């Protein structure tokens, strides 16, 4: 968000606890207008709680929220959900099974005269492209059709902001990508300010104009997809956005020395301090033995469009993992030479978690 562009939604010091468990801790965030913001994080990090607090379904224990400059949540103020002009699209769509599509769309318009309801339903039906579904009932719709109807129902009252909680998670992979693409095209065409919750970093990279990575009830990093992937602020951010090989090294004169090479390190550390290199699998490549760092192929896994290869390098205790989009002729057990692409190497002060040849990925622990 540029300095000249005011935030549409301002969160300041928002906190929430359930009993002794702190779910949100001092969350401060600016949501830009007319853009899609993704709240990203593993299960239990507080992203869905934050969405409920924004909508008014839940109250924070502390902090303020301003919408277009007007306070809607504060120590002495709480605007009721129905007065916030905020739309909410649930993960399971929550369509009323006993109502037709037209009746579902009109449900949130009951404050309008009948003629105005019909006009507004017709407008949103045309905009979303679901005229052929208007007389059908939810049970007769496919997952993709239900998702489009749920989107239309959320947009029918003309909300100032749309909140979406894991909106594509119930769809099969192929359908998910198509519906996601159609939904994003609709939101961007009409200039909707939207906040989408997801636990999938690849989805966040594909969807968000702005990504808010959360961890343990706090904000870990905020940035555009390119910023958060190319310039992660912490080892956690680097590993959450994609697999990494972790290597501990020694910091000296603006560089980190590791068993497989020395890399630039823009760190405020004394010489001799431990530092950490997070190396993307795509940063590694191999060639015939004798043209780089001596290594050995330990395993190969064919993944369709790419191949995953585990490589052992002395004196590392565990293998390094690389991805290749070209076929690697070297067989398991064969000696090779390892080469590195420094553009995919992120360097941090050591976080004390130790180094393993193949870095852990926080996504592997998500339910």
């Amino acid at each position: 968000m540029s300095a000249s562009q005011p935030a549409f939604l301002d969160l300041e010091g928002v906190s929430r606890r359930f009993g002794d468990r702190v779910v949100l801790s001092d969350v401060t965030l600016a949501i830009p207008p007319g853009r899609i913001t993704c709240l990203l994080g593993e299960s239990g990090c507080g992203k869905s709680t934050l969405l409920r607090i924004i909508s008014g379904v839940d109250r924070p224990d502390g902090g303020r929220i301003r919408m277009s400059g007007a306070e809607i949540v504060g120590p002495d103020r709480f605007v009721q959900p129905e007065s916030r002009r905020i739309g909410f699209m649930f993960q399971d769509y929550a369509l009323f099974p006993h109502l037709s599509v037209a009746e579902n769309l009109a449900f949130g318009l009951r404050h309008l005269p009948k003629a105005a309801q019909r006009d507004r339903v017709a407008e949103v039906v045309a905009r979303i492209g679901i005229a052929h579904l208007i007389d059908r009932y939810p049970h007769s719709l496919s997952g993709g059709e239900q998702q489009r109807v749920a989107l239309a129902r959320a947009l029918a009252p003309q909300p100032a902001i749309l909140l979406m909680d894991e909106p594509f998670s119930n769809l099969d992979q192929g359908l998910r990508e198509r519906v996601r693409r159609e939904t994003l095209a609709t939101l961007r065409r009409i200039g909707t300010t939207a906040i989408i919750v997801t636990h999938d970093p690849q989805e966040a990279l594909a969807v968000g104009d702005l990504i808010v990575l959360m961890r343990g009830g706090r904000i870990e990093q905020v940035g555009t997809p390119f910023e958060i992937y190319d310039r992660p602020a912490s080892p956690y951010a680097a590993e959450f956005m994609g697999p990494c090989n972790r290597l501990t090294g020694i910091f000296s004169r603006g560089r980190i020395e590791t068993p497989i090479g020395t890399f630039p390190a823009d760190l405020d550390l004394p010489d001799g301090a431990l530092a950490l290199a997070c190396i993307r699998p795509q940063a590694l490549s191999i060639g015939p033995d004798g043209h780089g760092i001596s290594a050995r192929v330990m395993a190969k896994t064919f993944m369709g469009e790419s191949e995953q290869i585990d490589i052992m390098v002395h004196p590392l205790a565990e293998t390094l993992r690389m991805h290749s989009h070209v076929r690697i002729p070297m067989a398991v057990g064969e000696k090779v030479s390892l080469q590195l692409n420094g553009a995919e190497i992120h360097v941090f002060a050591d976080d004390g978690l130790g180094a393993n040849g193949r870095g852990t990925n926080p996504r592997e622990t998500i339910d």
Side-chain angles (χ1 to χ4, degrees), residues 179-252:
V179 171
R180 185 173 67 198
R181 188 168 55 249
E182 293 173 352
T183 300
L184 295 179
T186 299
L187 295 178
R188 291 197 165 105
R189 185 173 66 250
I190 61 181
T192 302
T193 301
I195 302 176
I196 299 178
V197 161
T198 181
H199 67 271
D200 183 351
Q202 298 305 312
E203 181 166 88
L205 291 171
V207 167
D209 299 307
L210 188 73
I211 296 176
V212 180
L213 176 60
M214 299 185 65
R215 178 189 186 188
R218 297 179 180 270
I219 292 177
E220 184 78 8
Q221 185 174 356
V222 178
T224 67
F226 288 109
E227 288 169 345
I228 209 163
Y229 186 85
D230 293 340
R231 296 190 295 278
S234 66
Y236 181 87
E239 292 185 297
F240 196 91
M241 299 312 294
C244 288
N245 299 288
R246 276 177 168 254
L247 286 179
T248 298
I250 304 298
F251 178 79
S252 177

Side-chain angles (χ1 to χ4, degrees), residues 1-8 10 30-33 35 210 224 227:
M1 186 170 63
S2 67
S4 61
Q5 185 182 36
F8 178 78
D10 264 315
I31 302 296
R35 301 296 182 89
L210 188 73
T224 67
E227 288 169 345

